[in-house]
């Protein structure tokens, strides 16, 4: 049943069709690997962007308090020196990336979208690999049957030779 399904799905009628189907599946697997690598790279970049956005959001209240502090500014600078420096680095990086507060949520959504796409690509990779494994099993089975047929023919030929000598 699985054998027939695999043969029909790949429109396999002969050995060359089988070889062509295996090559097509290998190409598809290579393409999926490339897409997964690209999606993972973009996801990693988006994780960095979102981490920077999270740092910015977390430290913005401290920055705002420092900016509006009159006489307490020096005291706040000492107290929050590390946080203010970290905020300024995050702010500078976001500015370099041309990302402003109005579109922070877009980057979270993009990260989730790429993670989802990567998951779907991995599912597609697994199913395509299973198809290729089935096709290879079919190839092995056909080769084994052909080999057995040759052996049976040889045995028949030998027994015919023995019988004709008698």
């Amino acid at each position: 049943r699985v054998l027939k399904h695999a043969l029909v799905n790949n429109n396999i009628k002969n050995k060359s069709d089988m070889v062509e189907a295996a090559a097509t599946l290998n190409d598809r697997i290579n393409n999926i690997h490339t897409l997964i690598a690209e999606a993972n790279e973009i996801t990693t970049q988006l994780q960095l962007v979102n981490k920077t956005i999270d740092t910015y959001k977390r430290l913005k209240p401290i920055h705002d308090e420092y900016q509006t502090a009159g006489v307490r500014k020096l005291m706040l600078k000492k107290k929050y020196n590390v946080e203010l420096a970290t905020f300024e680095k995050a702010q500078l990086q976001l500015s370099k990336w041309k990302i402003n507060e109005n579109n922070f949520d877009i980057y979270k959504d993009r990260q989730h979208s790429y993670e989802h796409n990567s998951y779907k690509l991995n599912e597609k990779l697994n199913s395509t690999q299973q198809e290729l494994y089935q096709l290879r099993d079919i190839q092995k089975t056909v080769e084994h049957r052909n080999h057995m047929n040759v052996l049976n023919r040889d045995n028949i030929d030998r027994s015919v030779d023995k019988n004709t000598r008698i």
Side-chain angles (χ1 to χ4, degrees):
R1 180 188 268 171
V2 172
L3 173 68
K4 186 175 181 178
H5 179 72
L7 293 173
V8 169
N9 271 2
N10 290 297
N11 196 26
I12 296 172
K13 296 177 184 125
N14 55 44
K15 188 175 180 178
S16 68
D17 289 346
M18 202 175 309
V19 170
E20 189 177 321
T24 300
L25 288 171
N26 275 319
D27 288 345
R28 193 177 309 155
I29 287 169
N30 289 334
N31 289 337
I32 294 171
H33 275 295
T34 300
L35 292 172
I36 289 171
E38 290 171 3
N40 288 341
E41 184 179 327
I42 292 170
T43 299
T44 300
Q45 292 169 353
L46 287 168
Q47 287 170 339
L48 178 61
V49 167
N50 285 319
K51 184 177 179 185
T52 305
I53 289 170
D54 290 344
T55 299
Y56 177 93
K57 284 179 173 180
R58 182 174 48 83
L59 298 175
K60 186 161 179 20
I62 295 171
H63 174 264
D64 291 348
E65 181 184 354
Y66 171 74
Q67 291 297 320
T68 58
V71 285
R72 299 182 4 200
K73 208 169 202 170
L74 186 58
M75 180 194 69
L76 288 174
K77 178 82 170 166
K78 284 182 183 179
K79 182 177 180 181
Y80 296 116
N81 189 37
V82 173
E83 290 86 350
L84 291 168
T86 304
F87 174 83
E88 288 169 6
K89 287 177 187 176
Q91 186 178 40
L92 179 64
Q93 189 60 54
L94 291 170
S95 174
K96 284 181 184 178
W97 290 331
K98 295 180 173 54
I99 297 173
N100 62 46
E101 288 184 56
N102 297 335
N103 56 15
F104 281 175
D105 292 338
I106 292 170
Y107 293 92
K108 288 270 190 220
D109 293 341
R110 283 184 188 167
Q111 179 181 339
H112 292 302
S113 175
Y114 274 96
E115 289 169 344
H116 179 74
N117 288 343
S118 185
Y119 176 79
K120 288 291 186 190
L121 284 167
N122 276 302
E123 284 183 337
K124 183 68 177 168
L125 176 64
N126 290 337
S127 70
T128 305
Q129 286 173 330
Q130 287 301 321
E131 250 185 281
L132 183 60
Y133 297 147
Q134 286 176 348
L135 191 60
R136 286 184 178 154
D137 284 345
I138 293 168
Q139 284 175 315
K140 287 177 186 174
T141 301
V142 168
E143 288 170 6
H144 178 72
R145 285 182 182 172
N146 287 341
H147 179 72
M148 294 305 291
N149 287 339
V150 167
L151 290 176
N152 285 338
R153 257 186 272 138
D154 287 348
N155 287 336
I156 291 171
D157 290 345
R158 282 187 208 129
S159 83
V160 167
D161 285 346
K162 285 180 184 178
N163 289 337
T164 56
R165 284 188 230 162
I166 301 178

